[in-house]
Amino acid sequence: QKEVEQNSGPLSVPEGAIASLNCTYSDRGSQSFFWYRQYSGKSPELIMSIYSNGDKEDGRFTAQLNKASQYVSLLIRDSQPSDSATYLCAVNGKYNFNKFYFGSGTKLNVKP
Amino acid sequence: DAGITQSPRHKVTETGTPVTLRCHQTENHRYMYWYRQDPGHGLRLIHYSYGVKDTDKGEVSDGYSVSRSKTEDFLLTLESATSSQTSVYFCAISVGEGMGEQFFGPGTRLTVL
């Protein structure tokens, strides 16, 4: 079982819609959760971090964490074509908080 | 911009040759990481460092070694490159004593023929 699972997509949404990206993780002791955006041929860039249960909002982005169900989600409101990218979910390890495990990413296409 | 550079940015080499990739940071972060990224696998941790001369293995460390003799530099060495090590390699730093956000360098595209 992979430590972090994501649907590879592609997820297609029309411009202006809400895009919902999901991630599940296997290590119940993980404490740090992150979403990164990666454009083709570029390096990952941090979008959001979340450390406690509930929602965290930053502009058009909302991260949601449910530790009991072991899932993290990212909502993108008012999706723009510039949001088209691969979104990577990352969590840290239970016994080694300094190690990070990444999902394989979900490709998002926002259609004009 | 976390002040992370990687060199070289592109490299083509032949099977069996040694290869060293360099990661340089300008902000004295304690934690540094090397990942490889392959289609369908996302980012996989090779090695990481939590200080000068302090390193630990990641999930795909076989065939790789690292060294960190200065805070700002973290080197990744492929002792004898194989075609399976053709990949894009990313260096990253972590803030918040290693539990926090990671920031990535621009990447090195390595091709082993």
Side-chain angles (χ1 to χ4, degrees), chain A residues 36 38 46 49 96 98-99, chain B residues 33 37 48 57 101-102:
Chain A
Y36 293 85
Q38 186 175 26
L46 179 73
S49 59
N96 187 331
N98 305 126
K99 280 186 176 178
Chain B
Y33 301 77
Q37 187 173 38
Y48 74 101
K57 295 180 180 180
E101 295 89 349
Q102 291 193 307

Side-chain angles (χ1 to χ4, degrees), chain A residues 41, chain B residues 6-11 106-110:
Chain B
Q6 293 184 231
S7 59
R9 294 291 314 278
H10 301 272
K11 186 171 182 66
T108 294
R109 183 173 295 276
L110 176 67

Side-chain angles (χ1 to χ4, degrees), chain B residues 3 5 11 13 28 30 32 37 58 60 62 71 80-81 85-87 91 101-102 107-108:
Chain B
T5 57
K11 186 171 182 66
T13 191
N28 288 324
R30 183 178 167 202
M32 298 183 74
Q37 187 173 38
V60 290
D62 287 347
T71 299
S80 177
Q85 293 175 311
T86 292
S87 187
C91 173
E101 295 89 349
Q102 291 193 307
T108 294

Side-chain angles (χ1 to χ4, degrees), chain B residues 30-103:
Chain B
R30 183 178 167 202
Y31 287 85
M32 298 183 74
Y33 301 77
W34 276 108
Y35 293 91
R36 61 177 291 174
Q37 187 173 38
D38 306 289
H41 288 280
L43 287 161
R44 292 183 291 174
L45 180 65
I46 305 172
H47 283 279
Y48 74 101
S49 170
Y50 47 97
V52 173
K53 292 186 170 54
D54 292 322
T55 65
D56 200 358
K57 295 180 180 180
E59 54 187 318
V60 290
S61 59
D62 287 347
Y64 301 95
S65 63
V66 289
S67 65
R68 193 168 178 199
S69 58
K70 298 185 291 183
T71 299
E72 59 265 36
D73 289 325
F74 191 30
L75 304 181
L76 177 71
T77 297
L78 291 66
E79 303 290 348
S80 177
T82 67
S83 58
S84 64
Q85 293 175 311
T86 292
S87 187
V88 179
Y89 291 85
F90 288 104
C91 173
I93 60 93
S94 177
V95 300
E97 277 303 298
M99 287 180 61
E101 295 89 349
Q102 291 193 307
F103 298 90

Side-chain angles (χ1 to χ4, degrees), chain A residues 93-109:
Chain A
K94 175 180 181 180
Y95 297 109
N96 187 331
F97 298 140
N98 305 126
K99 280 186 176 178
F100 297 86
Y101 298 93
F102 284 77
S104 55
T106 297
K107 186 172 177 57
L108 173 66
N109 290 328

